[in-house]
Amino acid sequence: MDSAFYAMRVTPEGHLVHVGSGTLPANLAQCGLDEELWFDRLDDYEEYNYVWNNQGRCFELPCFGDVNYVESALKVSFPQPAGPLEFGDAANLPVRDLRLRYVSHDILHDAAPGLAPEHGLPTRGPSRATLCVVLKDEQYDFFAKLFYRVSPAQNIIERWVELENCTCMTVTVHRLCFATMNLPPGKWEMTHAAGVWAREFATQRTPLDQGTFVMDNRGLNTGHNHNPFYLINETAAASEKNGTVHFGALAFSGNWSLQFESLFNQTVRVHGGYEAGDLSMPLAPGQKHATPAMILGWSEGGWGQASRHLHDFAREFVLPGAAPQPCRPVLYNSWEATYFDVQVENQIELARKAAAIGVELFCVDDGWFGARRHDRAGLGDWVVSPTAFPKGLKPLIDEVKELGMKFGLWVEPEMVNPDSDLYRAHPDWVLHFPGRPRTEMRQQLILDFGREEVVQFIGDALEKLLRENAIDFFKWDMNRFATEPGSVAGQTIGHRHAAAVYRIMDRLRKNFPHLSIQSCSGGGGRVDLGMLARTDQVWTSDNTDAFDRAIIQDGYSLAYPPRAMECWVTHEKNHQTGRHASLDLRFDVAMRGALGIGSSLNQLGEEELARYQRKIAFYKRIRPVVQEGNLHRLALAAEGGTSIWLSVLRDGSQAVYSSVTITQLQGVFRAPPVLCGLVPEAIYRVLDEHDTELARYHGAQLMTLGLPNDPTKGGFGCTVRSKTLWLVRAD
Ligand code: DGJ
């Protein structure tokens, strides 16, 4: 196991500069290295950056001001000079020059970043130590504290910044990053996720040549086009299994930006934080602002190990709930079965069928409330529709509970249809600019969560629903991104909106600790570590086509854990793409995360329902491995047509091998990939969904020769589109 180091120093002028970071052999002493000498001499390595008046220098938090002319992580303006105003100087105000210098540092044991969850639910992991370095402007009483919270087992450091204005004037913040990460000189390339609605999480590799590459989102959600994480390695020097990788992610669901600035001296700086295009945050005298965290980490085992560190980190320190966490339940969602035609009768019929095949959580999607018989009306009116449920939700919920399932409900709390009682009563409650058009998308507008009364109103409405109905699960949707972001919160709405969403979720989870939440934003538009801190699972895409989904899941898994990935088996002919897929393929893809069913069960025959039942039972046997195991991506769908995932329990006692071929090219033969993470001397039984033993192999054999494509016959099973096999230690 590698371990990480992170070194910085204070220069004689008081600058806090980055010296280096990366991985070290686990125990320096055992390698014959003198630890003291190693750390004492680190300073020597920073000098080469001291060129061109500091321009190549790796500041821990580069600021706008001083002699800096490259990108900054923090820009503020002071309306007045720190001393007396000199003749003729007034025209040059405000002072946009920040010169932060080292003051002190300390180790803290209970520090938490801005927007940390306040739902009171613990996480599994132990508390962690945090280094806090205090910086202050040379003249103004303006402070920035830099935090570094360490998670050694995952090689991860969380960084964030807290600003404190101790001057007697209001200081305006124009740009604020949670951290800047400095990489050493080199030729770098970055792996990240790009895409669009229905094609989220497409893996992209981008060279970081001189210049700046930007990923961001301005729509008040996390976004479909980019996701806030990255994996960086020296060009062509990493693979799934090998190579040094520097990775990072933002724990934030509002307007964010990640800028990859590659300088003339071949150093790369990653600035991660608030999107600054529409940011102007006043900090009144005495006011503080703490940013959310940027996660930084290192892997010596390629992209695969980087992902495993991130998965482990999310399970241990991000997802709500102490250890041991039960597996995520098998869910049924009614959306693709009934769309807006939700009626108590059709939902009860679906619930009975769902329970019979082994579903554990039944979720009613859009269409159960207000005048919501289509997407043109009703959003904002969170009262049960008397047309759909003449006697309220109770008869359905009672039935669901009697069938032994939990009950879930779809909500979209941030939105309003203009055709709704809420909008008619409060047309001023939506984001808009006075005298300008209010552009609708899907016939809906966004509530102004900069208004405290709106946040309170929505929180109350959801609490009322939870108090009056035995609801165990909310699917929290957000089906449009923001445009025309006029708000009473002014140019802070880019983060205040997300902060308000977090506050409502935290309030609900605190007052209803049994509640779990799914994050959805028109598919995979709100997946990030900030959202995972108050939800249990996320929707990666509205596209449920198994062929497309395999690619989406490969990309999602770069940063986020399978445990939180909700995946549905839907119809044989897919509703989004019209493509046909076998039941085996649909299940093999959906069994890679938290399994859900979205098919019209009312239209399936007995034989098909029996197949669903058998596969769900199989999934329940393998899910502890799928949801808690270490994931190894052995092949990627976008790179050759087959995606192969191997999940292995930490002790190597069980593994799940999932192979999904989405493009079968004639004449292309693939040797089976070698497996990882098994116990070499152990013997593994290979079981199929019927628990039939197909073969037995030595761990060492599987880790050197791989698992034959068709273990019953040997050789290459070119016609097999997909399979899920369960490997269990025989001894
Ligand atoms: C978009 C979601 O992603 C779908 O699953 C469904 O919930 C619809 N919204 C409902 O309007």
Side-chain angles (χ1 to χ4, degrees):
M1 163 92 178
D2 47 348
S3 67
F5 79 99
Y6 191 100
M8 55 192 132
R9 73 179 185 121
V10 179
T11 68
E13 318 85 65
H15 291 294
L16 184 66
V17 292
H18 189 78
V19 177
S21 51
T23 50
L24 290 171
N27 186 336
L28 288 179
Q30 268 176 14
C31 306
L33 295 172
D34 178 335
E35 277 190 45
E36 228 165 88
L37 181 66
W38 175 285
F39 287 109
D40 273 0
R41 301 313 308 176
L42 277 178
D43 285 3
D44 301 352
Y45 294 91
E46 200 265 330
E47 292 307 321
Y48 63 88
N49 285 326
Y50 190 67
V51 290
W52 295 101
N53 279 343
N54 277 330
Q55 299 314 320
R57 198 138 212 191
C58 301
F59 296 108
E60 278 295 297
L61 195 75
C63 296
F64 188 95
D66 216 326
V67 293
N68 184 29
Y69 84 142
V70 289
E71 191 52 274
S72 55
L74 174 60
K75 179 181 180 184
V76 304
S77 61
F78 300 97
Q80 296 297 329
L85 194 61
E86 288 182 14
F87 178 73
D89 261 1
N92 288 13
L93 290 174
V95 176
R96 303 183 310 284
D97 181 26
L98 187 60
R99 295 167 186 248
L100 293 178
R101 302 292 181 263
Y102 172 86
V103 177
S104 62
H105 70 273
D106 205 355
I107 306 282
L108 311 173
H109 292 281
D110 54 359
L115 303 187
E118 288 175 359
H119 48 50
L121 301 170
T123 57
R124 300 184 199 185
S127 82
R128 289 155 292 164
T130 306
L131 168 69
C132 171
V133 185
V134 182
L135 308 176
K136 180 191 163 299
D137 183 79
E138 277 183 339
Q139 290 175 299
Y140 293 97
D141 285 335
F142 187 84
F143 293 83
K145 288 183 184 166
L146 312 194
F147 293 86
Y148 303 77
R149 182 162 66 178
V150 185
S151 303
Q154 292 81 17
N155 269 3
I156 280 177
I157 294 178
E158 285 163 275
R159 284 192 54 186
W160 68 93
V161 177
E162 184 186 283
L163 302 180
E164 184 171 7
N165 177 13
C166 296
T167 72
C168 37
M169 57 186 111
T170 294
V171 176
T172 305
V173 180
H174 303 279
R175 179 168 163 76
L176 177 55
C177 290
F178 316 158
T180 288
M181 179 61 209
N182 292 281
L183 272 77
K187 266 280 193 209
W188 300 101
E189 67 183 8
M190 180 186 45
T191 304
H192 55 111
V196 68
W197 177 81
R199 190 174 57 79
E200 297 89 336
F201 292 105
T203 305
Q204 194 164 304
R205 199 146 293 137
T206 304
L208 297 177
D209 294 332
Q210 189 166 340
T212 301
F213 178 81
V214 182
M215 302 198 287
D216 62 16
N217 182 56
R218 298 136 196 249
L220 298 186
N221 58 352
T222 319
H224 294 79
N225 302 149
H226 299 283
N227 193 277
F229 75 86
Y230 63 85
L231 314 173
I232 297 180
N233 53 271
E234 290 213 58
T235 305
S239 65
E240 278 294 330
K241 283 189 190 165
N242 300 304
T244 303
V245 175
H246 302 244
F247 58 89
L250 301 181
F252 181 52
S253 322
N255 288 358
W256 61 270
S257 138
L258 277 167
Q259 286 178 293
F260 303 84
E261 184 187 25
S262 186
L263 291 178
F264 57 89
N265 60 356
Q266 293 204 331
T267 55
V268 170
R269 296 158 187 207
V270 185
H271 309 282
Y274 297 136
E275 202 281 323
D278 190 35
L279 176 71
S280 178
M281 176 167 50
L283 267 191
Q287 205 178 336
K288 294 182 186 176
H289 179 90
T291 72
M294 175 163 168
I295 279 84
L296 306 169
W298 299 269
S299 147
E300 284 303 317
W303 304 311
Q305 182 64 54
S307 300
R308 286 187 290 281
H309 282 321
L310 282 163
H311 297 175
D312 213 28
F313 178 76
R315 281 189 301 238
E316 290 294 302
F317 296 111
V318 181
L319 287 165
Q325 273 293 296
C327 284
R328 296 305 305 149
V330 177
L331 165 141
Y332 181 81
N333 181 290
S334 67
W335 177 240
E336 291 197 18
T338 49
Y339 291 106
F340 290 105
D341 181 28
V342 173
Q343 305 288 348
V344 63
E345 296 81 12
N346 62 19
Q347 299 303 303
I348 286 183
E349 205 184 337
L350 284 170
R352 288 183 182 148
K353 296 241 158 90
I357 59 173
V359 166
E360 298 158 314
L361 163 62
F362 182 83
C363 181
V364 176
D365 210 279
D366 202 349
W368 59 267
F369 56 94
R372 190 80 169 168
R373 312 314 303 156
H374 41 68
D375 64 10
R376 298 184 299 283
L379 269 183
D381 300 335
W382 300 110
V383 287
V384 180
S385 155
T387 326
F389 297 95
K391 295 185 184 151
L393 289 174
K394 194 167 184 315
L396 172 62
I397 297 181
D398 285 351
E399 179 80 25
V400 166
K401 301 268 158 131
E402 259 164 49
L403 289 164
M405 296 183 292
K406 295 189 173 195
F407 180 76
L409 203 59
W410 179 96
V411 287
E412 193 179 4
E414 296 143 84
M415 301 289 161
V416 65
N417 284 122
D419 184 0
S420 66
D421 293 342
L422 181 62
Y423 188 73
R424 279 183 283 275
H426 299 284
D428 52 330
W429 274 14
V430 297
L431 295 174
H432 70 283
F433 290 113
R436 310 294 283 178
R438 303 172 180 205
T439 305
E440 293 172 25
M441 282 177 210
R442 211 191 187 207
Q443 287 77 240
Q444 63 196 58
L445 297 165
I446 304 186
L447 290 170
D448 181 2
F449 273 15
R451 284 178 184 261
E452 205 37 53
E453 69 273 30
V454 177
V455 178
Q456 188 65 39
F457 175 89
I458 291 298
D460 290 349
L462 296 177
E463 274 220 8
K464 187 163 182 289
L465 267 176
L466 289 169
R467 262 197 315 276
E468 292 176 356
N469 302 283
I471 297 167
D472 305 290
F473 176 87
F474 269 151
K475 171 176 175 179
W476 183 305
D477 206 345
M478 183 202 191
N479 277 304
R480 67 160 290 183
F481 52 84
T483 56
E484 301 123 335
S487 161
V488 297
Q491 292 177 72
T492 64
I493 192 65
H495 59 271
R496 293 270 296 272
H497 183 90
V501 170
Y502 290 168
R503 252 190 305 138
I504 300 175
M505 287 182 170
D506 287 348
R507 171 182 165 186
L508 299 180
R509 295 204 72 140
K510 188 172 193 166
N511 295 342
F512 303 87
H514 70 281
L515 181 75
S516 56
I517 302 181
Q518 173 201 345
S519 168
C520 171
S521 178
R526 198 147 58 186
V527 179
D528 62 79
L529 293 172
M531 195 40 69
L532 282 185
R534 45 273 287 178
T535 58
D536 305 86
Q537 55 198 67
V538 294
W539 191 223
T540 55
S541 183
D542 279 347
N543 186 345
T544 59
D545 174 308
F547 297 92
D548 289 348
R549 198 78 173 199
I551 297 175
I552 292 168
Q553 294 183 348
D554 278 350
Y556 163 96
S557 76
L558 286 171
Y560 304 109
R563 175 186 174 85
M565 180 175 79
E566 188 176 312
C567 350
W568 305 347
V569 171
T570 54
H571 308 89
E572 195 265 332
K573 180 177 177 195
N574 187 267
H575 281 195
Q576 289 79 36
T577 62
R579 192 162 25 190
H580 294 260
S582 70
L583 192 66
D584 284 336
L585 177 66
R586 283 177 278 147
F587 263 96
D588 287 329
V589 172
M591 288 195 298
R592 290 177 161 197
L595 176 66
I597 308 292
S599 323
S600 304
L601 298 179
N602 295 345
Q603 287 162 18
L604 299 183
E606 287 306 313
E607 203 179 308
E608 193 150 18
L609 286 171
R611 289 184 68 201
Y612 271 69
Q613 187 185 24
R614 221 171 26 243
K615 286 193 178 282
I616 291 173
F618 177 54
Y619 173 72
K620 287 180 183 168
R621 294 197 290 278
I622 61 172
R623 82 178 149 181
V625 188
V626 171
Q627 297 190 12
E628 294 297 314
N630 285 330
L631 174 67
H632 300 265
R633 288 179 298 264
L634 305 182
L636 301 173
E639 294 176 6
T642 298
S643 165
I644 303 180
W645 284 19
L646 180 76
S647 309
V648 191
L649 283 186
R650 275 161 213 244
D651 63 2
S653 60
Q654 293 183 41
V656 171
Y657 179 89
S658 163
S659 165
V660 170
T661 297
I662 60 167
T663 322
Q664 185 68 62
L665 297 172
Q666 277 308 318
V668 173
F669 300 96
R670 288 185 198 92
V674 296
L675 309 196
C676 326
L678 304 177
V679 180
E681 60 275 18
I683 292 173
Y684 289 89
R685 304 166 65 213
V686 180
L687 306 174
D688 69 6
E689 70 180 60
H690 308 283
D691 274 352
T692 306
E693 185 176 310
L694 303 178
R696 285 182 179 220
Y697 298 100
H698 264 289
Q701 200 172 2
L702 294 168
M703 293 205 293
T704 48
L705 300 172
L707 181 67
N709 282 341
D710 185 344
T712 52
K713 302 191 192 87
F716 295 86
C718 288
T719 52
V720 177
R721 274 216 170 282
S722 68
K723 65 188 160 209
T724 303
L725 299 171
W726 187 19
L727 277 61
V728 182
R729 262 187 90 155
D731 40 350

